[in-house]
């Protein structure tokens, strides 16, 4: 069984390294680089999602699909639109209706920051702003009732911006399980990699 893990905005596949150490199992963990799916010009959410669809086409049979933040949004949409491909779904710090006010504030901060502040990030300043703008009107709420695969929702207790959305996801997705990690914020794979890895391992072993 394959377990595909999608990283968050501003992260890279390397950010799953410590989590993977605690995910021993009979299944294979794959961590693609989301930015490989974006063109140099006009990077947008739709390009990312189509990239995910192409990536998943190369695998036979159902697989476990999980994602953090941006990766979770992509995983959520894919599971809703490709029901027979996803055996289990893992959503970490994930929104299903984009918080416009928060995104606008974030983009304002990005514009104020000098380009040098983005030099260690996978995306540059302009591409980051463009990608965030493309997600402003994203609303996956109508898709939730169509998700019938086994679902695990994870969120850090310190992740105030996403905790309520995680609670709602657990309530709106049939049979979903919610786990909150006590000492973690938004980036679960950095704040609590051992706890996260063990939670994913336990979930996948039961899949």
């Amino acid at each position: 069984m394959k377990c595909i893990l999608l990283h968050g905005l501003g992260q890279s596949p390397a950010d799953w390294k410590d989590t993977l150490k605690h995910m021993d199992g009979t299944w294979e963990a794959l961590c693609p680089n989301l930015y490989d799916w974006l063109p140099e010009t006009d990077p947008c959410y739709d390009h990312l999602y189509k990239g995910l669809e192409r990536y998943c086409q190369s695998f036979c049979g159902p697989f476990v699909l999980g994602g953090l933040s941006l990766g979770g949004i992509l995983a959520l949409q894919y599971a809703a639109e490709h029901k027979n491909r996803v055996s289990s779904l893992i959503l970490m710090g994930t929104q299903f209706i984009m918080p416009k006010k928060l995104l606008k504030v974030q983009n304002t901060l990005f514009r104020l920051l000098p380009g040098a502040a983005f030099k260690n990030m996978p995306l540059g300043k302009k591409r980051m702003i463009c990608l965030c703008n493309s997600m402003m009107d994203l609303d996956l709420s109508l898709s939730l009732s169509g998700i019938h695969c086994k679902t695990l929702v994870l969120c850090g207790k310190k992740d105030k911006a996403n905790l309520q959305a995680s609670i709602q996801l657990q309530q709106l997705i049939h049979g979903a399980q919610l786990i909150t990690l006590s000492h973690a914020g938004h980036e679960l794979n950095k704040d609590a990699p051992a706890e996260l890895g063990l939670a994913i391992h336990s979930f996948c072993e039961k899949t």
Side-chain angles (χ1 to χ4, degrees), residues 10-56:
Q11 291 194 340
S12 73
D15 289 305
W16 293 112
K17 181 180 178 181
D18 291 336
T19 300
L20 294 178
K21 293 176 182 177
H22 302 274
M23 289 176 56
D24 294 334
T26 57
W27 30 267
E28 178 186 4
L30 302 170
C31 305
N33 189 336
L34 303 190
Y35 308 116
D36 288 344
W37 304 335
L38 287 175
E40 285 298 321
T41 58
D42 189 31
C44 66
Y45 176 82
D46 285 344
H47 288 138
L48 274 182
Y49 183 67
K50 289 174 182 175
L52 175 60
E53 288 185 309
R54 290 192 298 270
Y55 179 80
C56 292

Side-chain angles (χ1 to χ4, degrees), residues 41-92:
T41 58
D42 189 31
C44 66
Y45 176 82
D46 285 344
H47 288 138
L48 274 182
Y49 183 67
K50 289 174 182 175
L52 175 60
E53 288 185 309
R54 290 192 298 270
Y55 179 80
C56 292
Q57 281 177 357
S58 63
F59 303 120
C60 297
F63 46 80
V64 177
L65 181 61
L68 168 69
S69 194
L70 170 61
I73 296 167
L74 290 164
L76 179 62
Q77 183 174 354
Y78 187 89
E81 296 184 3
H82 300 271
K83 298 178 178 61
N84 296 327
R85 298 285 289 151
V86 180
S87 61
S88 298
L89 179 64
I90 305 169
L91 304 172
M92 296 164 262

